[in-house]
Structures are given as C-alpha cells and as structure tokens.
Amino acid sequence: MQNTPMMSAMRKKIVQEMISSEEAYLKQLHTLDKYFVKASLEKASIPQQIHTMIFGHLPPIKEMNTELFKSLSIEEGNIGAAFLKMAPFLKVYAAYAKNYQQAINILVDYERKTVKFKAWLTTQESRPEVQTKLPSLLITPIQRIPRYRLLLGQLLKHTPSDHPHYGSIVQASEAIVKVAGHIEESLKKAECVQRMFKLQEAMKNGQPNIIAPGRQLIREGVLQKISQNGNSSQPRLFFLFTDILMYTRLPALNMNSTSNTSFSETTDTFKPKSLECRCVLPLRHCSVISVFGSDRGLFRLKCKSEDMLLFCSDHGNSTDWVRDIKEAVSVAIQRRKTLRKDSSARKPMRKTAIRKMAIKENTELTALKATKLDGNESAKVLQVDELFSSPKHSATPEERPWSPCSIMTRVYQIQECLTPPKSWRSRKRQNTSSSSSDDDLARKVKSPKRT
C-alpha cells in the first residue's frame, strides 16, 4: 500500500477527528458530573442509594478518558500507542453498560414518583450550560466504544503498512474489538437477567423459581404440543434455560397465537402472575430427535417418563429449537459431571408438583414465625438456621424445635415431585385392587373358620 498524498490527508483528518471528538466527549462527561452527579448530592435531591445506582460507574470512566485525552495530545498523532496504554482500563465501560438499563429504569421511576426531584431535574436540564436531557447524557458512554472501533478501523484503512504507526494501530484496533465484544456480552447477560426477572413476575404463585445462580435463558418461543391422542395440538410457551426446559400456558390474550413469538417481544402484554407453568424438565435427562419426513418440522422430546411431540409453523425454527436443545443438554451433562447443581430438578415436574412447591414455601414462611419457650422466659421468634439447619451436635428432645408447620414442611419435602400420567394411575389402581383381593384370599386360606 502506497502512502499517497490523498491518503495522508485523509489519515490526518481522521486523527484530528479522533482528538476533537474525544475532547467533545470529555465536555459531556464534565457536564454530567458537575450539573447532575455532584449537584444532586449537594442539593440532597436524591437518596444516596439511588444516586449510586444511577451514577456509581461514571467517575472511573471520566478519570480514564481524561488520561486517554492527555495521551492522544502527547503522542503527536500516534493514536495506536495512546489507545494501547489505556486499552486494559476500557473495560470499565463493561460495568457501566451492564448497569445502564437498570439505571435508566430507576431514574424514570424516581422522577415519576418524586415531584421535587422532577422539578430539580427539569431545572438542571434547561440550564444554558446543559440544554440536554439527562438520559441523553447517560447514553454517551454506551456509544463511545463503538465510535472508537469505527474510527480506528478507518484510520487503519488509510494507514500504509510501511507507516511507523501501522503496528500500534493494528494492536489498538484488536484491543478495542475485544473490549467491544466484552461489553456486548455483558449487555446480553444483563438483558437476559432482566427477561428472567420479568418472567418470574409473570409466573402464577411465583412458581417455579427460575432465578438461580448460573442459570441463563437461552431461547423462548411458542411451540405446538400434540395431544396424547394425536388428534389436536395446543400452543405452549417454551423457555429453554441452561439447566431446565419449561413450558407454560399462553395468556388468554395470546391463546390463539401460533407464531414463534419471543417473550421479550410480548412481555408488555403479560400481566404479573399471568403465566401458568405446566411442566419443568431437567435438561440432563432430556433427549430430542427430529421426525424425518415431517413437513411441519415435527420433533420428539423425551425426559424420563415425559414423551411429547412438538412443532412450530416455521420449519426452520423447529430445526433451531432441536439444535439449541441438543447443545444445552450436552453442556448440562458436562456440568453435572463436575458439579452437582441443586437448581436442576432430578425429575420432571408437572403442575401438581409445582403447586406443592408453592404450598411448601408458604409453610416454611409460616414456620419462621413459630416460637419456643425456654423455661419461664417469654417466647421468641426462631431464626432460620435454628429451624431448618441440622445442628452440629445431636440435640436432645427438649432442644429440638417443634411445630406443626415444621412437621408439614418435612412431609412436603419427601413427597414425589412427578405426577404420573392418568394411564399409570389407572394401572396402579388395578394392580392395587388385584393385590388386595389376593391378600384377602390368602388370609382366608390361612385362617379357617372356627367350628
């Protein structure tokens, strides 16, 4: 690549744009810090906890970009060297990006509820030195890393390979791409957590509890579940997590929907406690295969006693579901080999078992209020670790906490989680009736009538 005069002029223009844009960005950070971050503390217009949630990640960003601007000015056009010095510290943007949506939600909610803060915010935004809405200032750090990546890419394109700064620009561009990827991954995880919290709020009775350490939402959508007699199908809303597969009934508003609608796209139509969970399947016991020759993308999902046929209107979406479930099952099995996770159920759970979980939680909550008496002392509330944890020494009968609630809790803990199909229950009744009649006959033979 030759260093033509046109290329040199373009390269010089890009360098000047990077320095001037960094200076303008620092002014925005200064405005945000002076008229909102510090001013809100001085006027005590916002509680400390909320202030930290909204502005807590801004100070390190301002400090880091101040140093970056100094390096850009000192290096005399060696943009690559300046970015390489600060590249490891650019990850502070990942923490900001991860918290950004929550900060905006808190800001909007607090402004809506607090008249005094809303008036103060309007005054600050209308100042001659500001003339900008606070959310518009808060989004500028989110937009900055993609801007760096774009400008460095343009600079590299117009820098010949024999230029003395070419190597440092290549390294700086690669470093920025890594940081941008890290930030994008953090944003995806944050969005996933937000979706899971919204989904938890939409579950009836709060069951099952889908918020668990390490659990992530992989995929969600509407699938058609073929009935046991094969004559009809029902739309069900499926959620694929890293360790479980769950499906629910659709809300009444969407019961006739057959499209592969995303939960994130329809979450506004879901009211709290509007989704009823029908079944939870542990992935490590699942297997899925495509039904060949089916023009509807039919596939079979098995998990111990559960066996179902599923499809969606789009054949391609069925293929994606099969692929994602297989990958998730493989990962869940590998994790299970190294670490036994309590969040993964051992058996599939249907609606009855999930309802029992809700009853159990209510029972445990009541048990926390159980009291015990020590001699003539007044009653005191039992602590959680006293009631449910196992003592290190064998407690005497007088030391053991007792209450009807705690007994019921133990009873619910040992009950079966899986509700067998109707065919199993009818078969069980037949076996029970036949075995009981055999027992009666045996007793009659062993016990002859006295004469």
Side-chain angles (χ1 to χ4, degrees):
M1 184 185 296
Q2 296 181 354
N3 189 10
T4 62
M6 183 178 295
M7 181 178 292
S8 298
M10 181 61 69
R11 185 180 181 281
K12 184 177 181 181
K13 182 179 179 181
I14 295 173
V15 170
Q16 292 175 349
E17 182 182 353
M18 295 187 76
I19 296 175
S20 61
S21 66
E22 187 66 23
E23 184 178 8
Y25 174 59
L26 270 180
K27 289 181 179 179
Q28 289 178 318
L29 291 180
H30 177 74
T31 300
L32 182 59
D33 181 61
K34 180 178 180 180
Y35 296 103
F36 293 97
V37 180
K38 293 180 178 178
S40 59
L41 287 179
E42 294 172 356
K43 300 295 183 180
S45 58
I46 187 171
Q48 179 65 47
Q49 185 178 5
I50 296 179
H51 183 276
T52 303
M53 291 178 178
I54 298 175
F55 304 116
H57 295 281
L58 281 170
I61 288 179
K62 182 187 175 186
E63 183 177 351
M64 190 275 300
N65 278 91
T66 301
E67 294 299 323
L68 177 60
F69 180 70
K70 292 179 181 178
S71 298
L72 290 173
S73 303
I74 294 173
E75 292 294 338
E76 297 181 354
N78 192 351
I79 301 295
F83 271 96
L84 282 177
K85 289 180 181 179
M86 304 306 300
F89 305 100
L90 289 172
K91 291 184 179 180
V92 296
Y93 278 87
Y96 183 86
K98 186 177 181 179
N99 184 68
Y100 170 73
Q101 190 58 54
Q102 182 183 5
I104 293 296
N105 293 339
I106 293 173
L107 174 65
V108 172
D109 185 63
Y110 190 71
E111 181 183 2
R112 178 175 56 85
K113 293 180 179 179
T114 311
V115 177
K116 181 180 178 181
F117 175 72
K118 183 177 181 179
W120 175 85
L121 188 60
T122 303
T123 302
Q124 295 298 105
E125 291 173 342
S126 59
R127 291 175 67 101
E129 306 92 335
V130 180
Q131 294 294 314
T132 309
K133 296 291 184 181
L134 178 56
S136 299
L137 290 172
L138 290 175
I139 202 175
T140 52
I142 299 294
Q143 301 168 335
R144 196 59 191 163
I145 296 298
R147 182 66 175 168
Y148 288 149
R149 182 167 56 180
L150 176 63
L151 290 174
L152 282 172
Q154 292 179 351
L155 182 63
L156 183 62
K157 182 179 178 181
H158 293 88
T159 301
S161 56
D162 57 350
H163 194 280
H165 299 162
Y166 181 82
S168 61
I169 296 174
V170 171
Q171 295 178 24
S173 181
E174 293 175 351
I176 291 296
V177 168
K178 289 182 180 179
V179 173
H182 184 70
I183 292 174
E184 290 174 1
E185 186 65 24
S186 298
L187 285 174
K188 288 180 181 178
K189 290 182 179 179
E191 291 173 358
C192 176
V193 171
Q194 290 294 328
R195 288 204 305 271
M196 290 178 66
F197 275 113
K198 291 180 180 179
L199 176 58
Q200 186 69 70
E201 293 177 357
M203 302 305 299
K204 284 186 178 179
N205 301 319
Q207 292 296 337
N209 184 15
I210 64 172
I211 308 299
R215 177 177 292 168
Q216 297 180 17
L217 180 61
I218 300 174
R219 187 184 183 90
E220 73 271 9
V222 178
L223 293 174
Q224 294 288 333
K225 180 177 177 293
I226 297 180
S227 60
Q228 293 182 354
N229 56 23
N231 295 330
S232 61
S233 63
Q234 305 86 26
R236 294 289 183 259
L237 188 56
F238 277 77
F239 299 91
L240 176 61
F241 297 91
T242 48
D243 61 333
I244 61 173
L245 177 65
M246 177 185 74
Y247 68 85
T248 72
R249 291 176 60 117
L250 270 69
L253 184 62
N254 295 330
M255 279 302 294
N256 296 325
S257 175
T258 58
S259 62
N260 197 44
T261 307
S262 170
F263 176 80
S264 60
E265 296 174 356
T266 59
T267 184
D268 292 337
T269 64
F270 292 164
K271 297 179 181 180
K273 307 185 186 305
S274 63
L275 293 179
E276 181 182 2
C277 182
R278 305 297 291 179
C279 190
V280 178
L281 306 174
L283 278 184
R284 61 191 178 91
H285 295 308
C286 289
S287 62
V288 60
I289 55 173
S290 298
V291 178
F292 294 102
S294 173
D295 56 353
R296 296 186 298 178
L298 193 66
F299 61 94
R300 184 179 184 182
L301 179 66
K302 296 184 66 176
C303 183
K304 288 197 171 182
S305 60
E306 297 294 330
D307 193 346
M308 61 188 76
L309 289 173
L310 305 168
F311 72 94
C312 59
S313 55
D314 188 345
H315 190 285
N317 285 331
S318 292
T319 304
D320 294 340
W321 270 102
V322 172
R323 180 201 63 218
D324 291 344
I325 293 175
K326 283 183 177 181
E327 292 178 358
V329 168
S330 177
V331 173
I333 292 175
Q334 291 297 324
R335 288 179 177 177
R336 183 68 179 183
K337 290 180 180 179
T338 57
L339 177 64
R340 182 171 180 175
K341 295 180 65 178
D342 295 335
S343 61
S344 299
R346 296 185 180 183
K347 297 181 180 180
M349 290 191 301
R350 283 201 167 270
K351 185 174 66 172
T352 304
I354 295 170
R355 187 183 298 115
K356 289 178 180 179
M357 290 173 60
I359 296 174
K360 174 186 170 183
E361 284 199 356
N362 292 336
T363 304
E364 291 179 349
L365 184 61
T366 306
L368 292 178
K369 299 178 182 179
T371 57
K372 64 180 180 179
L373 294 175
D374 293 333
N376 296 327
E377 295 181 1
S378 59
K380 59 181 179 180
V381 179
L382 293 179
Q383 300 297 323
V384 177
D385 52 353
E386 290 180 313
L387 189 57
F388 296 109
S389 62
S390 302
K392 296 182 180 180
H393 65 281
S394 58
T396 62
E398 292 77 8
E399 294 174 335
R400 295 171 186 161
W402 181 93
S403 73
C405 295
S406 61
I407 291 179
M408 290 303 298
T409 300
R410 301 305 188 272
V411 172
Y412 284 123
Q413 288 175 348
I414 63 175
Q415 285 184 340
E416 280 289 342
C417 290
L418 177 61
T419 303
K422 294 181 180 179
S423 59
W424 288 19
R425 293 199 293 268
S426 59
R427 196 182 309 152
K428 185 176 180 180
R429 293 194 197 98
Q430 294 175 3
N431 296 337
T432 305
S433 59
S434 60
S435 61
S436 60
S437 59
D438 292 342
D439 293 341
D440 293 340
L441 181 60
R443 283 195 296 271
K444 290 179 181 179
V445 173
K446 291 183 180 180
S447 305
K449 186 181 293 185
R450 294 183 180 180
T451 56

Coordinates of all heavy atoms in Angstrom, one line a residue, residues 18 80 83-84 86-88 90-91 93-94 144-154 156 168-186 188:
M18 N -10.5 12.2 15.7 CA -10.5 11.4 17.0 C -10.2 12.3 18.2 O -10.7 12.1 19.3 CB -9.4 10.3 16.8 CG -9.8 9.2 15.8 SD -8.7 7.8 15.7 CE -9.3 6.9 17.2
G80 N -2.4 4.9 17.9 CA -2.4 3.5 18.3 C -1.7 3.3 19.7 O -2.1 2.6 20.6
F83 N -4.0 4.5 22.6 CA -5.0 3.6 22.9 C -4.5 2.3 23.6 O -5.1 1.7 24.4 CB -5.8 3.2 21.7 CG -7.0 4.1 21.4 CD1 -6.9 5.2 20.5 CD2 -8.2 3.9 22.0 CE1 -7.9 6.1 20.3 CE2 -9.3 4.8 21.8 CZ -9.1 5.9 20.9
L84 N -3.3 1.9 23.2 CA -2.7 0.7 23.8 C -2.4 0.9 25.3 O -2.5 0.0 26.1 CB -1.4 0.3 23.1 CG -1.6 -0.4 21.7 CD1 -0.3 -0.7 21.1 CD2 -2.4 -1.7 21.9
M86 N -4.2 2.7 27.3 CA -5.5 2.8 28.1 C -6.4 1.6 27.8 O -7.4 1.5 28.4 CB -6.2 4.1 27.8 CG -5.4 5.3 28.0 SD -4.7 5.4 29.7 CE -6.2 5.4 30.7
A87 N -6.0 0.8 26.8 CA -6.9 -0.3 26.4 C -7.4 -1.2 27.6 O -8.5 -1.6 27.7 CB -6.3 -1.2 25.3
P88 N -6.4 -1.6 28.5 CA -6.9 -2.5 29.6 C -7.9 -1.9 30.5 O -8.7 -2.6 31.2 CB -5.6 -2.8 30.4 CG -4.5 -2.5 29.4 CD -5.0 -1.4 28.5
L90 N -10.3 0.2 29.5 CA -11.5 0.5 28.9 C -12.6 -0.5 29.3 O -13.8 -0.3 29.0 CB -11.3 0.4 27.3 CG -10.5 1.5 26.7 CD1 -10.2 1.2 25.2 CD2 -11.3 2.8 26.8
K91 N -12.3 -1.5 30.0 CA -13.3 -2.5 30.5 C -14.2 -1.9 31.5 O -15.2 -2.5 31.9 CB -12.6 -3.8 31.0 CG -11.9 -4.6 29.9 CD -11.3 -5.9 30.5 CE -10.7 -6.7 29.3 NZ -10.1 -8.0 29.8
Y93 N -16.0 0.3 31.0 CA -17.3 0.6 30.2 C -18.2 -0.6 30.3 O -19.4 -0.5 30.1 CB -16.9 0.9 28.7 CG -16.5 2.3 28.5 CD1 -15.2 2.7 28.6 CD2 -17.5 3.2 28.1 CE1 -14.9 4.0 28.4 CE2 -17.1 4.6 27.9 CZ -15.8 4.9 28.0 OH -15.5 6.3 27.8
A94 N -17.6 -1.8 30.5 CA -18.5 -3.0 30.6 C -19.4 -3.0 31.8 O -20.6 -3.3 31.7 CB -17.6 -4.3 30.6
R144 N -19.7 5.2 23.0 CA -18.3 5.6 22.8 C -17.4 4.5 22.3 O -16.6 4.7 21.4 CB -17.7 6.1 24.2 CG -16.4 6.9 24.0 CD -16.7 8.1 23.1 NE -15.4 8.8 22.6 CZ -15.4 9.6 21.6 NH1 -16.4 9.9 20.9 NH2 -14.2 10.1 21.3
I145 N -17.5 3.3 22.8 CA -16.6 2.2 22.4 C -16.9 1.8 20.9 O -15.9 1.7 20.1 CB -16.8 1.0 23.3 CG1 -16.3 1.3 24.7 CG2 -16.0 -0.2 22.7 CD1 -14.9 1.6 24.8
P146 N -18.2 1.7 20.5 CA -18.4 1.5 19.0 C -17.8 2.6 18.2 O -17.3 2.4 17.1 CB -19.9 1.5 18.9 CG -20.4 1.0 20.2 CD -19.4 1.6 21.2
R147 N -17.8 3.9 18.7 CA -17.2 5.0 18.0 C -15.7 4.8 17.9 O -15.1 5.1 16.8 CB -17.5 6.3 18.7 CG -17.0 7.6 18.1 CD -17.7 7.8 16.7 NE -17.3 9.1 16.1 CZ -17.6 9.4 14.9 NH1 -18.2 8.6 14.1 NH2 -17.2 10.6 14.4
Y148 N -15.0 4.4 18.9 CA -13.6 4.1 18.9 C -13.3 3.0 17.8 O -12.3 3.2 17.0 CB -13.1 3.6 20.2 CG -13.0 4.7 21.3 CD1 -13.2 4.4 22.6 CD2 -12.8 6.0 21.0 CE1 -13.2 5.3 23.6 CE2 -12.7 7.0 21.9 CZ -12.9 6.7 23.3 OH -12.8 7.6 24.3
R149 N -14.1 2.0 17.8 CA -13.8 0.9 16.9 C -14.0 1.4 15.4 O -13.2 1.0 14.6 CB -14.8 -0.3 17.2 CG -14.6 -1.5 16.3 CD -15.4 -2.7 16.8 NE -16.8 -2.4 16.9 CZ -17.7 -3.3 17.3 NH1 -17.3 -4.6 17.6 NH2 -19.0 -3.0 17.4
L150 N -15.0 2.2 15.2 CA -15.2 2.7 13.8 C -14.0 3.6 13.4 O -13.5 3.5 12.3 CB -16.5 3.5 13.8 CG -16.9 4.2 12.5 CD1 -17.0 3.2 11.3 CD2 -18.1 5.0 12.6
L151 N -13.6 4.6 14.3 CA -12.6 5.5 13.9 C -11.2 4.8 13.7 O -10.4 5.1 12.8 CB -12.4 6.6 15.0 CG -13.6 7.6 15.0 CD1 -13.5 8.5 16.2 CD2 -13.7 8.4 13.7
L152 N -10.9 3.8 14.6 CA -9.7 3.1 14.5 C -9.7 2.2 13.2 O -8.6 2.1 12.5 CB -9.4 2.2 15.7 CG -8.9 2.9 16.9 CD1 -8.9 2.0 18.1 CD2 -7.5 3.5 16.7
G153 N -10.8 1.7 12.8 CA -10.9 1.0 11.6 C -10.6 1.8 10.4 O -9.9 1.4 9.4
Q154 N -11.2 3.0 10.4 CA -11.0 4.0 9.3 C -9.5 4.4 9.2 O -8.9 4.6 8.1 CB -11.9 5.2 9.4 CG -13.3 4.9 9.2 CD -14.2 6.1 9.4 OE1 -13.7 7.2 9.9 NE2 -15.5 6.0 9.1
L156 N -6.9 2.7 10.3 CA -6.1 1.6 9.8 C -6.2 1.4 8.3 O -5.2 1.1 7.6 CB -6.5 0.3 10.5 CG -5.7 -1.0 10.1 CD1 -4.3 -0.8 10.6 CD2 -6.4 -2.2 10.8
S168 N 1.2 -0.3 15.8 CA 0.4 0.1 17.0 C -1.0 0.3 16.8 O -1.9 0.0 17.6 CB 1.0 1.4 17.6 OG 0.9 2.5 16.7
I169 N -1.4 0.8 15.6 CA -2.8 1.0 15.2 C -3.5 -0.4 15.1 O -4.6 -0.6 15.5 CB -3.0 1.8 13.9 CG1 -2.4 3.2 14.1 CG2 -4.4 1.8 13.5 CD1 -2.4 4.0 12.8
V170 N -2.8 -1.4 14.5 CA -3.4 -2.7 14.4 C -3.6 -3.3 15.8 O -4.7 -3.9 16.0 CB -2.4 -3.6 13.6 CG1 -2.9 -5.1 13.7 CG2 -2.3 -3.2 12.1
Q171 N -2.7 -3.2 16.7 CA -2.8 -3.7 18.0 C -3.9 -3.0 18.8 O -4.7 -3.6 19.5 CB -1.5 -3.6 18.8 CG -0.4 -4.5 18.2 CD 0.9 -4.3 19.0 OE1 0.9 -3.9 20.1 NE2 2.0 -4.5 18.3
A172 N -4.0 -1.7 18.6 CA -5.0 -0.9 19.3 C -6.4 -1.3 18.8 O -7.4 -1.4 19.5 CB -4.8 0.6 19.1
S173 N -6.5 -1.5 17.5 CA -7.8 -1.9 16.9 C -8.3 -3.2 17.4 O -9.4 -3.4 17.7 CB -7.7 -1.9 15.3 OG -8.9 -2.2 14.8
E174 N -7.3 -4.2 17.5 CA -7.7 -5.5 18.0 C -8.1 -5.4 19.5 O -9.0 -6.1 19.9 CB -6.5 -6.4 17.9 CG -6.2 -6.8 16.4 CD -4.9 -7.6 16.3 OE1 -4.2 -7.8 17.3 OE2 -4.6 -8.1 15.2
A175 N -7.4 -4.6 20.3 CA -7.8 -4.4 21.7 C -9.2 -3.8 21.8 O -9.9 -4.3 22.7 CB -6.7 -3.5 22.4
I176 N -9.5 -2.8 21.0 CA -10.8 -2.2 21.1 C -11.9 -3.2 20.7 O -13.0 -3.2 21.3 CB -10.9 -1.0 20.2 CG1 -10.0 0.1 20.8 CG2 -12.3 -0.5 20.0 CD1 -10.5 0.7 22.1
V177 N -11.6 -4.0 19.7 CA -12.6 -5.1 19.3 C -12.9 -6.0 20.4 O -14.0 -6.4 20.7 CB -12.1 -5.8 18.0 CG1 -12.9 -7.0 17.8 CG2 -12.1 -4.9 16.8
K178 N -11.8 -6.4 21.2 CA -12.0 -7.3 22.3 C -12.8 -6.6 23.4 O -13.7 -7.3 24.0 CB -10.6 -7.7 22.9 CG -9.9 -8.7 22.0 CD -8.6 -9.1 22.6 CE -7.8 -10.0 21.8 NZ -6.5 -10.4 22.4
V179 N -12.6 -5.4 23.7 CA -13.3 -4.6 24.7 C -14.8 -4.5 24.3 O -15.7 -4.7 25.1 CB -12.7 -3.3 25.0 CG1 -13.6 -2.4 25.9 CG2 -11.3 -3.4 25.6
A180 N -15.0 -4.2 23.0 CA -16.4 -4.1 22.5 C -17.1 -5.4 22.6 O -18.3 -5.4 23.0 CB -16.3 -3.6 21.0
G181 N -16.4 -6.5 22.3 CA -17.0 -7.8 22.5 C -17.4 -8.1 23.9 O -18.4 -8.7 24.2
H182 N -16.5 -7.7 24.8 CA -16.7 -7.9 26.2 C -18.0 -7.1 26.7 O -18.8 -7.6 27.5 CB -15.5 -7.5 27.0 CG -15.6 -7.8 28.5 ND1 -15.6 -9.0 29.1 CD2 -15.7 -6.9 29.6 CE1 -15.7 -8.9 30.4 NE2 -15.8 -7.6 30.7
I183 N -18.1 -5.9 26.2 CA -19.2 -5.1 26.6 C -20.5 -5.6 26.0 O -21.5 -5.7 26.7 CB -19.0 -3.6 26.1 CG1 -17.8 -3.0 26.9 CG2 -20.2 -2.8 26.2 CD1 -17.4 -1.6 26.4
E184 N -20.5 -6.1 24.8 CA -21.7 -6.6 24.2 C -22.1 -7.9 24.9 O -23.3 -8.1 25.1 CB -21.4 -7.0 22.7 CG -21.2 -5.7 21.8 CD -20.8 -6.1 20.4 OE1 -20.7 -7.3 20.1 OE2 -20.6 -5.2 19.6
E185 N -21.2 -8.7 25.3 CA -21.5 -9.9 26.1 C -22.1 -9.5 27.4 O -23.1 -10.1 27.9 CB -20.2 -10.7 26.3 CG -20.5 -12.1 27.0 CD -21.3 -13.0 26.2 OE1 -21.3 -12.9 24.9 OE2 -21.9 -13.9 26.7
S186 N -21.6 -8.5 28.1 CA -22.2 -8.0 29.4 C -23.6 -7.5 29.2 O -24.5 -7.7 30.0 CB -21.3 -6.9 30.0 OG -20.0 -7.4 30.2
K188 N -25.7 -8.5 26.8 CA -26.6 -9.6 26.6 C -26.9 -10.3 27.9 O -28.1 -10.7 28.1 CB -25.9 -10.6 25.6 CG -25.8 -10.1 24.2 CD -25.1 -11.2 23.3 CE -24.9 -10.7 21.9 NZ -24.2 -11.7 21.1

